[in-house]
Amino acid sequence: MLETPITDRGLAWADDVLKGRVPACKRVVQAVRRFKKDLKRQDTEDFPFVFDKEAAEHICAFIELFPHVKGTWAARNETIRLAGWQAFLLGQINGWRHCDTGVRRFRTAYIEVPRKNGKSSLMAPLGVYFLSVDGEPGAEVFSAASSSDQARIVFDAARVMLINGSVGGEPLAAKLGLHVEQHKIKSIDDEASVFRAVASQTKSQDGKNPHCAIIDELHEHQKRDVWDAMASALGARDQPLMVAITTAGHNTAGICYEQRVYVQRLLTGDQVDNSYFGMIFEADEGDEPG
């Protein structure tokens, strides 16, 4: 078996959460406990999935090839180094596989994090992963949001990373067989894979065939058109992913709150859905603001 140092970093973080060595809110503890419970029942009649550490490592190692594009780390030309929690959640998304088919277990993910936690730096290379090395012919990847400006944040981060990054002296875009344009990133072979930004106010959400849909700042979505359009189109692919990453919001009538409540029920065990992954980072009641 290949070494999996980044995945091991994420698993060590999970162990530290359970042992109280890493401060964590109740919802994060529940997400780690869900993972540990699933490990114990993997490859059983009721749970036909296994955690493939090499598959988890593949996506983590890929993302760590990408350069930072903002701040001090970018000025020093440093590449991404995943924090423990980031390695854990990426490993969950890509590591859980069906025992017989090998396809990914999770088709939907909801991730709620505080501000200034590098959402775009994490999601941008994830989108490129699904575009380029996931093995999906004609992959369509979308960075989706409630506004065009918000939708372009993840997309533009991916553009800059591909333009600025390199592997072994070769430009990252060329290494991955990608052509970077102003409004799309596309494969240079005949598979016609493409990465675009799309917003709620787009006239039509029809015709989308997403292999990966990254929905940014879900709490800002006043309507559910983007979510519903992407969710309904996922069925055309064997192992698609729709991932919502958002900071906390206050609208208790919107799509974000609906998905948040669903994840809460998954984490408590009141709801069972083996295709849905969720992590919520929040302050527990009584915590001092820091």
Side-chain angles (χ1 to χ4, degrees), residues 152-175:
R152 286 200 65 103
I153 290 175
V154 168
F155 174 78
D156 284 338
R159 288 185 67 255
V160 175
M161 287 175 174
L162 286 168
I163 292 169
N164 293 349
S166 64
V167 178
E170 184 177 0
L172 191 52
K175 186 76 172 179

Side-chain angles (χ1 to χ4, degrees), residues 83-97:
W85 69 269
Q86 295 172 321
F88 175 78
L89 77 87
L90 288 169
Q92 298 301 295
I93 287 172
N94 207 52
W96 281 108
R97 302 282 172 152

Side-chain angles (χ1 to χ4, degrees), residues 47 56-57 70 77 82 96 107-108 141 143-144 146 177 180 196 199-200 202-203 233:
F47 189 74
E57 186 73 11
K70 291 182 179 180
N77 296 315
L82 295 172
W96 281 108
R107 296 168 61 95
T108 309
V141 177
S143 171
S146 60
V180 181
R196 296 190 185 94
S200 177
T202 301
K203 290 183 179 179

Side-chain angles (χ1 to χ4, degrees), residues 24 34 51 65 68 72 89 142 199 229 240 271 284:
R34 183 190 186 198
F51 184 67
L65 294 173
H68 284 282
T72 303
L89 77 87
F142 298 99
Q271 176 72 45
D284 286 330

Side-chain angles (χ1 to χ4, degrees), residues 52-218:
D52 184 338
K53 289 181 67 176
E54 291 185 11
E57 186 73 11
H58 192 258
I59 194 170
C60 291
F62 179 86
I63 287 178
E64 288 202 347
L65 294 173
F66 283 68
H68 284 282
V69 294
K70 291 182 179 180
T72 303
W73 290 322
R76 295 198 296 255
N77 296 315
E78 293 188 17
T79 54
I80 293 169
R81 187 183 190 277
L82 295 172
W85 69 269
Q86 295 172 321
F88 175 78
L89 77 87
L90 288 169
Q92 298 301 295
I93 287 172
N94 207 52
W96 281 108
R97 302 282 172 152
H98 192 279
C99 299
D100 298 325
T101 65
V103 301
R104 267 184 296 270
R105 165 190 174 185
F106 291 119
R107 296 168 61 95
T108 309
Y110 175 93
I111 303 159
E112 185 177 310
V113 294
R115 297 185 184 279
K116 305 299 181 183
N117 268 274
K119 293 191 291 89
S120 59
S121 295
L122 189 63
M123 291 294 107
L126 181 141
V128 177
Y129 181 90
F130 278 77
L131 176 71
S132 60
V133 300
D134 196 43
E136 180 72 11
E140 294 183 25
V141 177
F142 298 99
S143 171
S146 60
S147 68
S148 296
D149 288 345
Q150 186 69 48
R152 286 200 65 103
I153 290 175
V154 168
F155 174 78
D156 284 338
R159 288 185 67 255
V160 175
M161 287 175 174
L162 286 168
I163 292 169
N164 293 349
S166 64
V167 178
E170 184 177 0
L172 191 52
K175 186 76 172 179
L176 295 172
L178 298 174
H179 181 67
V180 181
E181 300 180 3
Q182 184 67 25
H183 299 294
K184 62 184 176 182
I185 303 165
K186 62 182 183 180
S187 60
I188 59 178
D189 56 25
D190 295 330
E191 292 189 350
S193 297
V194 65
F195 186 173
R196 296 190 185 94
V198 63
S200 177
Q201 58 264 56
T202 301
K203 290 183 179 179
S204 175
Q205 300 292 338
D206 296 333
K208 302 293 188 294
N209 184 14
H211 178 52
C212 177
I214 299 165
I215 303 183
D216 197 13
E217 291 295 15
L218 188 62

Side-chain angles (χ1 to χ4, degrees), residues 19-69:
K19 293 175 181 177
R21 292 196 290 254
V22 171
C25 67
K26 177 177 68 175
R27 304 294 182 197
V28 168
V29 173
Q30 289 172 339
V32 173
R33 285 178 177 163
R34 183 190 186 198
F35 166 62
K36 294 291 188 178
K37 178 182 177 182
D38 289 347
L39 278 181
K40 292 179 179 178
R41 64 191 185 116
Q42 62 182 326
D43 196 9
T44 60
E45 184 176 349
D46 294 332
F47 189 74
F49 305 98
V50 293
F51 184 67
D52 184 338
K53 289 181 67 176
E54 291 185 11
E57 186 73 11
H58 192 258
I59 194 170
C60 291
F62 179 86
I63 287 178
E64 288 202 347
L65 294 173
F66 283 68
H68 284 282
V69 294

